[in-house]
Amino acid sequence: MQALTAPSGGRERNAAVLPLPAFSDNYIWAIVRDGQAAVVDPGEAGPVLRLLEQQGLRLRAILLTHHHGDHVGGVSELSRIEGITVYGPARERLPRCDVPLAQGDRVEIPELDLDLSVLDVPGHTAGHIAYTGRAAGVEPVLFCGDTLFAGGCGRLFEGTPAQMLDSLEKFSVLPPDTQVFCAHEYTLANLRWASAVEPANRNLQQWHQRARQLRAEGLPTLPSTIGQERATNPFLRTQQIEVVQAAERWAGHNHATPVEVFASLREWKNEFK
């Protein structure tokens, strides 16, 4: 298990953000500090319960980004733990939600050194939200659920290309050193596709090589950063001429707007083998 730890020294010395693998390729993110924890998108309870037992942690909160089962499936079982608070999107139906959230709301848990602002990011689902700010002394962070992946983005199950592009642009303006905690280990597949879109992108080539090495060593490729995604993720590069031309070649016609470019990229990725 690879941890992203807070800066050494002071009250944050026992703080970390930990990836808990779940199912075949999900990550539940555990925010840990001084014997307490919060978890993001617990699709199953088992990995969380094992962490709590192994490290003697008290679960304080659950943060949800959207309603899909592989993100909320563990909520009911974890709800048996006394004293937890469940935060989640106000516009989605969830197994439990004590504090409904929408853009501009904040989640503050001082014991975890957690201070997160909420963004509305529809596209993958209609009410999807994301959290950005500070967690366990690590900042800036972004817990983006299934909206953004390293080298990719979520499928449009309930939203439109325009909505998803707008959501991704909310991420793109975050500081470049923002740590991006995606909910799936899709990186290698995404970067194979991204390399087909921009085969001459040196940043992408280097990132792809590093990601392959990490996976060969059994390590997560995450977190990514916003700066890295801006440099390598076609879905955040819809106004780059190389990406526009690649999308137009694939679609067989010219595109007048970034939304049209994004829509073609999303269809291309859906069909990419």
Side-chain angles (χ1 to χ4, degrees):
M1 181 187 298
Q2 186 181 43
L4 185 68
T5 57
S8 60
R11 63 189 176 87
E12 297 172 349
R13 63 187 180 279
N14 297 318
V17 180
L18 304 172
L20 306 182
F23 305 112
S24 62
D25 52 34
N26 282 70
Y27 288 124
I28 302 164
W29 293 103
I31 301 159
V32 175
R33 181 172 179 265
D34 292 339
Q36 301 187 72
V39 293
V40 182
D41 285 350
E44 55 180 340
V48 178
L49 295 172
R50 286 191 291 274
L51 177 73
L52 299 179
E53 181 179 1
Q54 290 167 1
Q55 298 197 15
L57 301 172
R58 175 193 171 199
L59 185 63
R60 290 293 308 277
I62 296 172
L63 282 63
L64 303 175
T65 63
H66 66 292
H67 66 83
H68 285 164
D70 63 326
H71 293 252
V72 304
V75 171
S76 296
E77 186 173 351
L78 294 174
S79 289
R80 298 172 189 167
I81 299 172
E82 293 185 5
I84 68 168
T85 303
V86 181
Y87 301 83
R91 295 179 54 213
E92 301 216 345
R93 189 171 183 176
L94 304 167
R96 171 179 167 182
C97 185
D98 304 312
V99 184
L101 300 169
Q103 178 139 338
D105 290 335
R106 290 175 67 182
V107 178
E108 297 179 82
I109 306 176
E111 295 84 355
L112 290 168
D113 195 18
L114 185 150
D115 185 355
L116 299 171
S117 298
V118 176
L119 299 173
D120 285 337
V121 287
H124 182 66
T125 66
H128 203 302
I129 63 173
Y131 304 85
T132 185
R134 184 177 69 254
V138 180
E139 71 174 327
V141 300
L142 173 66
F143 297 101
C144 53
D146 283 357
T147 298
L148 176 65
F149 300 127
C153 75
R155 288 178 180 261
L156 305 184
F157 290 121
E158 300 175 12
T160 66
Q163 285 178 314
M164 183 61 110
L165 183 59
D166 180 68
S167 295
L168 293 174
E169 287 175 347
K170 291 180 181 180
F171 296 161
S172 189
V173 298
L174 295 173
D177 61 338
T178 300
Q179 303 287 304
V180 180
F181 293 91
C182 313
H184 288 272
E185 184 59 72
Y186 289 163
T187 307
L188 291 186
N190 287 341
L191 295 183
R192 279 198 311 109
W193 168 75
S195 296
V197 178
E198 283 193 278
N201 184 328
R202 286 288 298 163
N203 290 321
L204 175 55
Q205 293 168 11
Q206 292 167 4
W207 171 209
H208 197 182
Q209 181 178 356
R210 186 166 78 255
R212 285 194 294 261
Q213 182 176 351
L214 287 168
R215 294 308 291 154
E217 296 172 1
L219 297 173
T221 59
L222 304 170
S224 179
T225 68
I226 288 296
Q228 181 166 270
E229 294 310 305
R230 288 179 189 164
T232 61
N233 188 330
F235 292 117
L236 269 61
R237 296 170 59 78
T238 55
Q239 298 189 56
Q240 297 293 320
I241 186 62
E242 296 84 0
V243 175
V244 173
Q245 290 174 344
E248 290 177 339
R249 285 194 299 270
W250 183 85
H253 57 81
N254 292 337
H255 293 327
T257 67
V259 172
E260 292 181 13
V261 175
F262 174 85
S264 287
L265 292 172
R266 186 61 265 179
E267 290 182 20
W268 185 359
K269 180 64 174 67
N270 290 348
E271 298 178 12
F272 189 77
K273 302 299 183 183

